[in-house]
Amino acid sequence: MNSITYAKQIAHHNTEFETFKTEILKGLTRERKYISSKFLYDKKGSQLFEKITELPEYYQTRTEATILSGNIEWLKDSFQKTTALIELGSGSSTKTRILLENIPGIQAYVPIDISPEMLSNTVDQLKKSFPNIQVTGVSADYTEAFSLPDLDADAEQKVVFFPGSTIGNFEPEEAIRFLQSIRALLGTGDRMILGVDRKKDIDTLEAAYNDQAGITAAFNKNVLTRIKRELETDLDIQAFSHYSFYNSTAGRIEMHLRSKKDQTISIEGESITFKKGETIHTENSYKYSEAEIETLSRKSSFTLMTTLSDADRQFSVCILEA
Ligand code: AVI
């Protein structure tokens, strides 16, 4: 590694540290304490999330894969013009493979992921499995402005794949702005395949975020481990518990960390006081009805072409056209 690259890496590391410190302190000194869900996904957090996707209670991942594999003929037929697939998030998963294996016109696949490690794994694996597809990874935070690489494939139709119901982790207004920014990258007739978790009975929803094995609790509490590792603090992780519930007014699952006692902790010299039962809000996961998906698409300047769903209507794979 040359010294310029090294100096850049230190600078990058320092800004990352400063952002983490500033945002954590800002969120914890608010009236209603808050930590952005983006901080849940460090290396350990991403591994725990992978485990969540395999839990019996977490129906989302397997249901989405079942919907895709149950509609292969329809996908083959409807995506005949598709030459380029762009995935938001890392796409080593079964779901991406279902599309790459069954849409024969795809010449280019562009996974976009914030983590360079995840990305290079994906790129290596998929290049091996699909030697005829040009795989170009883009390391970027897709929630910020990004541009697409020049696609060699004379991209007749681009399709953006955004699976996993990650759209639910955006606030509804942010979700519209985000989809509008994706729409701006596309031409008329390009498409988006969007995974959305549907509104359903509270028990099913709450079980998915309060699994028996305690993996979601570990995922949530891992952000405290990260604070302890990266910041100067006397924080006791055991003094907080995982708390997750469906807020039916807002139509979202909320994830919090709840203080087990009255306590004052110090982070980077700042005193933060908790009452027993007080929480730090760490994540929202919005659930959408069919009508809300329709509105979301329209407000983002897409046309909702088709909604594919499972027999129990738990999850939706929406096909949006630009
Ligand atoms: C990444 N995202 C779609 C997950 C969700 O269901 O909102 C994150 C998650 N949080 C707890 N469990 C899963």
Side-chain angles (χ1 to χ4, degrees):
M1 191 189 295
N2 67 39
S3 57
I4 298 172
T5 322
Y6 188 56
K8 264 196 195 155
Q9 286 206 340
I10 291 178
H12 179 66
H13 183 77
N14 283 345
T15 27
E16 237 178 66
F17 167 77
E18 283 303 325
T19 311
F20 183 63
K21 179 176 139 185
T22 314
E23 288 201 32
I24 293 295
L25 286 176
K26 198 169 150 211
L28 293 185
T29 48
R30 278 184 7 170
E31 166 95 27
R32 300 172 93 166
K33 295 180 174 62
Y34 163 84
I35 293 178
S36 165
S37 63
K38 71 180 174 205
F39 294 128
L40 295 169
Y41 298 88
D42 62 354
K43 192 164 177 228
K44 180 75 187 163
S46 302
Q47 286 167 353
L48 286 166
F49 177 65
E50 280 305 309
K51 281 194 172 178
I52 288 176
T53 65
E54 290 158 15
L55 290 169
E57 296 93 335
Y58 198 78
Y59 57 85
Q60 289 90 322
T61 312
R62 63 171 177 279
T63 308
E64 187 176 42
T66 308
I67 295 169
L68 289 172
S69 46
N71 285 284
I72 282 176
E73 288 313 314
W74 186 86
L75 289 167
K76 271 188 182 151
D77 206 46
S78 310
F79 287 85
Q80 287 180 25
K81 284 197 202 153
T82 306
T83 47
L85 185 72
I86 298 133
E87 180 164 1
L88 309 180
S90 202
S92 57
S93 68
T94 2
K95 294 176 269 184
T96 314
R97 286 175 182 272
I98 297 173
L99 298 180
L100 295 178
E101 274 162 13
N102 292 291
I103 302 179
I106 295 179
Q107 299 166 35
Y109 170 63
V110 184
I112 303 178
D113 202 283
I114 194 164
S115 150
E117 297 93 48
M118 284 275 210
L119 198 61
S120 75
N121 273 344
T122 303
V123 170
D124 288 350
Q125 284 175 20
L126 291 176
K127 270 187 173 163
K128 268 189 216 133
S129 310
F130 302 95
N132 297 328
I133 296 179
Q134 178 203 332
V135 183
T136 315
V138 174
S139 177
D141 177 356
Y142 59 74
T143 62
E144 304 284 330
F146 67 92
S147 48
L148 291 173
D150 268 345
L151 299 166
D152 257 15
D154 43 320
E156 203 180 332
Q157 185 184 58
K158 294 195 281 289
V159 173
V160 174
F161 185 36
F162 192 35
S165 73
T166 304
I167 194 70
N169 297 126
F170 291 73
E171 290 303 304
E173 290 302 316
E174 270 173 15
I176 296 169
R177 279 197 299 276
F178 173 68
L179 292 180
Q180 283 171 340
S181 74
I182 301 296
R183 171 65 188 84
L185 294 173
L186 301 177
T188 308
D190 288 342
R191 290 184 185 165
M192 183 156 191
I193 304 179
L194 180 68
V196 186
D197 197 12
R198 296 172 71 119
K199 286 202 157 85
K200 59 183 66 65
D201 68 280
I202 295 183
D203 288 350
T204 305
L205 283 170
E206 291 191 339
Y209 295 84
N210 291 285
D211 59 286
Q212 292 286 317
I215 309 294
T216 310
F219 169 69
N220 194 11
K221 288 174 84 174
N222 178 58
V223 76
L224 299 178
T225 311
R226 179 169 180 188
I227 291 174
K228 246 187 127 53
R229 186 177 62 238
E230 296 186 24
L231 305 178
E232 197 64 49
T233 180
D234 57 3
L235 165 74
D236 173 13
I237 298 167
Q238 301 312 323
F240 290 86
S241 57
H242 168 72
Y243 173 48
S244 183
F245 64 94
Y246 186 65
N247 174 337
S248 46
T249 315
R252 68 189 188 206
I253 283 282
E254 292 187 14
M255 210 162 71
H256 295 250
L257 289 159
R258 183 156 57 185
S259 179
K260 291 183 184 168
K261 57 181 185 192
D262 287 350
Q263 54 177 322
T264 300
I265 62 171
S266 159
I267 300 183
E268 297 282 329
E270 185 105 38
S271 280
I272 298 157
T273 301
F274 289 86
K275 288 248 160 279
K276 183 178 177 187
E278 190 180 347
T279 72
I280 309 169
H281 193 165
T282 51
E283 191 177 56
N284 284 327
S285 191
Y286 283 85
K287 309 302 167 191
Y288 284 84
S289 68
E290 188 105 39
E292 286 166 338
I293 297 173
E294 174 82 53
T295 308
L296 176 68
S297 310
R298 190 169 26 79
K299 288 193 172 169
S300 319
S301 310
F302 278 103
T303 304
L304 177 61
M305 278 176 62
T306 307
T307 301
L308 306 172
S309 198
D310 52 299
D312 299 327
R313 304 202 144 265
Q314 292 206 318
F315 199 92
S316 285
V317 174
C318 305
I319 317 295
L320 274 48
E321 191 158 272

